Amino acid sequence: MAEISDSAAGDGVSREEFTSVMTALEPDQIVSAKEHHHCPRRDLTGREKVVFWALRIYLIFMVGVVVYQIWTGVR
Amino acid sequence: MCGGIFFLTFLVKSMKEPKTAADLRGGSALESNLLSRENDAVVITHEDIDRAHDREQVSASRARRGLRPRLRLFWLLIGPGILVMLGENDGPSMLSYAATGARFGIGFFIPFVILTFLMACVVQEMTVRLGAATHRGHAELIFDRFGPFWGWFSMIDLMVGNFLTLVTEFIAIRAGLGFFGVRPVVAVSSALLVLAVALMTHRYWTWERIILSAAMFNLVFVPVALLAHPDWSAVGRAVLTWKPLPGGLTQDTVLILLANIGATVTPWMLFFQQSAIADKGLTTHDIRMGRVDTVLGAFLAAVAAVATMLATAPLFLHHMAAANFEAAEFAQALRPFIGYWGAALFALGMFEAGMVAAITISTSSAYAFGEVARRPHSLNLPFRQGQSFYLVLLIEAVAAASLVLIPGIPLVYIVLVVNVIAVLAMPPALLFLYMLVNDREIMGELVSPLWANVLALGVVTVLIAAGLLFGISVVAPNALALIGGK
């Protein structure tokens, strides 16, 4: 059974609310747990980096095309 | 109780449940990390208490047998999927569908739009699994897993796209209410007021129900379509044969093609649905219902989209082209065919489309900002605790609304390019999603199966091909002839 500290209980969280959170939420749903434990970073492989950059260049190029279309449209 | 953050320390060990998400998916690195730190002090917030209350109701319904508890469970769990799909039936989307019906009538674009909603289902299903498995938003996962360099790229894409889209939502709001003679400043201010009032609930569940109710008004385009007396045999033929496509493949057709794709699959949808699922507290047990929610939302949105095209098809038959998006011209042009009340419903639909989307899109920005800035981000937060979340949401909406009121701003061009930009920004966003949902370290056994990956890659291929087709049509329009165009 979980322990409720006196000071914490005094802050206004009732025993019912405490029990409710404990039983209804999964461990990694608790906000403070999520704040303290983030997903570890992963290293991208060379191939993944190439795909990431290719799509980034594609996006920049295509936005240029949109700007060109607007420019010709306005003219 | 609602005043501030309430603290309570306890041992993480005691939080273990008989069957957790980690148990179900074979234990992810993230969850192992959490569970291994058994002596860490954890703080309970107001947000946790609200979410736990919602989850208790879900558990109670799930524990009972029979039709009523099943229906209750369905009612409790639906929301993010329907909201994201009907939210994407937004101002520029409905204008795209209206322009499509007016420009091409009943034909190729009816089955094409249905196909785009199937594509949206494939994409959004991945966010359901990702959100339920990790309980984290999309922006947070991108930052954590791929680092700030790629994280900021995706955030800039999202924020720029969201802001431009928000501007168009207020254009739709202004145009919709303009039909009834409401002055632009009054229309835009009223919309901002509605947005702020919805936030005042400080409760995800209440907010979701209010916006869901409003989103249902998207189906107002169905009676408008019926008033237009569509040729149902032509609709049937179009669905079966994907024909006709008046004018063939031209630069104009490609633009409409891209606008219609952008009307159903856009980056903000990924961010919104995953964050909403985390905020609602869905778990791996709810994935099946999350899928039902998404498919139901896509179905309702497709019905509204097709209805809009059918509603404006009389303009095509009578060779009337509505080009000025700023003056609710569609509704006015349709008045001779569907009467005043039909036109009024159409204008009301435009207002609703802009209103719901303005709320969902600004919320997706606020979620993403909070996740990246490590600030509280939940619709369950009281204002004082979630100040940055609510302020980002409101500031973005106010800035977009103000832009619409500036005289001389080329609103027509903004409307036209918003959906196109959404399609162009989608492949990089989908790559992040694809990699995350296939990441065994965070997804465990819930990684995408082969069929889901094939479908996802198919969607990416279609989006890139559509983008390149658009590029060719702009840079070298004559080259369209090489692929059967004009």
Side-chain angles (χ1 to χ4, degrees):
Chain A
M1 184 58 200
E3 296 171 10
I4 308 175
S5 71
D6 290 340
S7 60
D11 283 334
V13 175
S14 68
R15 187 170 290 275
E16 288 75 27
E17 287 169 336
F18 170 74
T19 310
S20 163
V21 171
M22 300 282 285
T23 53
L25 296 186
E26 292 183 353
D28 55 353
Q29 280 186 297
I30 310 276
V31 173
S32 63
K34 286 201 284 186
E35 281 170 358
H36 288 111
H37 306 295
H38 292 281
C39 293
R41 186 165 169 183
R42 57 163 290 191
D43 292 321
L44 293 171
T45 63
R47 192 183 296 177
E48 286 169 347
K49 282 180 186 167
V50 168
V51 177
F52 269 50
W53 275 112
L55 284 177
R56 186 55 43 192
I57 291 164
Y58 160 84
L59 179 60
I60 292 167
F61 174 76
M62 294 307 290
V63 168
V65 172
V66 172
V67 172
Y68 171 76
Q69 192 205 23
I70 294 171
W71 180 64
T72 51
V74 169
R75 275 205 317 170
Chain B
M1 179 188 125
C2 300
I5 298 179
F6 305 119
F7 295 97
L8 191 63
T9 53
F10 62 96
L11 299 176
V12 175
K13 185 178 182 179
S14 63
M15 296 196 300
K16 282 185 179 174
E17 292 179 352
K19 195 170 180 73
T20 65
D23 299 329
L24 197 71
R25 54 181 199 263
S28 64
L30 169 66
E31 203 134 1
S32 305
N33 188 27
L34 271 173
L35 295 175
S36 67
R37 297 169 179 242
E38 296 185 342
N39 290 322
D40 284 1
V42 177
V43 176
I44 287 182
T45 63
H46 183 278
E47 185 186 333
D48 292 321
I49 294 168
D50 281 347
R51 192 166 295 128
H53 177 70
D54 293 344
R55 293 304 301 170
E56 278 176 341
Q57 295 191 53
V58 170
S59 300
S61 295
R62 185 167 276 136
R64 282 180 289 172
R65 294 190 174 193
L67 184 62
R68 258 180 93 98
R70 290 282 104 187
L71 289 173
R72 168 106 179 122
L73 186 65
F74 172 75
W75 168 246
L76 290 171
L77 292 177
I78 59 163
I82 295 177
L83 268 187
V84 82
M85 292 293 184
L86 289 179
E88 181 49 16
N89 264 5
D90 59 353
S93 300
M94 302 321 277
L95 286 170
S96 290
Y97 298 137
T100 305
R103 169 75 179 76
F104 297 98
I106 297 170
F108 169 82
F109 280 101
I110 302 274
F112 181 76
V113 164
I114 294 171
L115 175 73
T116 61
F117 277 102
L118 292 176
M119 284 165 49
C121 281
V122 170
V123 171
Q124 296 305 126
E125 188 275 338
M126 291 193 280
T127 68
V128 172
R129 263 184 295 136
L130 197 53
T134 63
H135 307 306
R136 286 160 199 269
H138 200 56
E140 184 176 347
L141 281 181
I142 291 173
F143 263 73
D144 284 350
R145 291 299 276 166
F146 304 118
F149 181 76
W150 293 108
W152 278 114
F153 266 131
S154 86
M155 271 299 284
I156 291 167
D157 292 349
L158 178 76
M159 289 299 181
V160 171
N162 276 8
F163 184 73
L164 285 176
T165 313
L166 260 181
V167 173
T168 64
E169 306 311 344
F170 284 101
I171 293 172
I173 288 167
R174 194 179 110 161
L177 292 183
F179 179 83
F180 303 100
V182 179
R183 288 171 55 207
V185 68
V186 177
V188 166
S189 305
S190 308
L192 284 173
L193 190 67
V194 171
L195 189 143
V197 167
L199 289 178
M200 279 178 194
T201 59
H202 305 308
R203 191 77 171 77
Y204 176 87
W205 168 258
T206 315
W207 176 89
E208 186 189 80
R209 298 298 120 169
I210 292 171
I211 310 304
L212 264 182
S213 312
M216 286 302 148
F217 276 95
N218 201 237
L219 295 172
V220 81
F221 288 99
V222 174
V224 178
L226 295 176
L227 285 170
H229 303 293
D231 179 353
W232 293 109
S233 60
V235 175
R237 271 198 306 278
V239 170
L240 292 175
T241 64
W242 290 59
K243 286 177 182 168
L245 180 58
L249 190 64
T250 61
Q251 191 178 13
D252 197 19
T253 315
V254 172
L255 186 66
I256 291 280
L257 199 81
L258 233 71
N260 281 325
I261 297 175
T264 45
V265 282
T266 57
W268 78 264
M269 296 169 74
L270 312 181
F271 288 82
F272 175 81
Q273 190 167 3
Q274 191 175 330
S275 298
I277 280 172
D279 205 2
K280 193 176 170 78
L282 298 195
T283 69
T284 49
H285 302 280
D286 309 316
I287 288 177
R288 187 190 290 180
M289 205 58 93
R291 287 173 177 149
V292 172
D293 177 35
T294 304
V295 172
L296 179 61
F299 172 76
L300 294 173
V303 167
V306 171
T308 309
M309 285 193 281
L310 296 180
T312 55
L315 299 178
F316 169 75
L317 291 174
H318 293 85
H319 308 291
M320 293 171 65
N324 182 7
F325 296 141
E326 293 179 56
E329 192 176 289
F330 279 118
Q332 283 159 359
L334 281 170
R335 200 167 162 179
F337 309 106
I338 58 177
Y340 173 79
W341 290 109
L345 281 179
F346 191 95
L348 210 59
M350 282 295 170
F351 165 72
E352 176 279 334
M355 189 68 251
V356 170
I359 294 171
T360 50
I361 291 170
S362 52
T363 307
S364 87
S365 294
Y367 273 136
F369 173 81
E371 289 164 16
V372 168
R374 310 274 191 233
R375 305 288 304 161
H377 49 276
S378 169
L379 287 161
N380 281 324
L381 288 167
F383 185 78
R384 204 187 304 168
Q385 289 170 31
Q387 268 181 6
S388 59
F389 175 79
Y390 292 117
L391 283 177
V392 166
L393 201 158
L394 290 170
I395 289 171
E396 191 185 27
V398 169
S402 308
L403 207 63
V404 174
L405 296 176
I406 297 173
I409 290 278
L411 299 177
V412 176
Y413 281 108
I414 296 176
V415 170
L416 281 173
V417 301
V418 155
N419 280 351
V420 174
I421 288 178
V423 177
L424 301 178
M426 202 56 187
L430 269 181
L431 180 64
F432 287 123
L433 178 62
Y434 179 84
M435 288 177 70
L436 286 170
V437 88
N438 280 290
D439 190 336
R440 200 166 282 277
E441 270 195 73
I442 59 169
M443 292 296 287
E445 296 302 313
L446 287 171
V447 290
S448 282
L450 181 64
W451 63 266
N453 282 336
V454 169
L455 288 174
L457 289 175
V459 171
V460 172
T461 307
V462 168
L463 292 174
I464 292 178
L468 291 175
L469 191 64
F470 166 74
I472 291 168
S473 75
V474 173
V475 178
N478 294 333
L480 285 178
L482 298 174
I483 49 174
K486 294 176 182 173

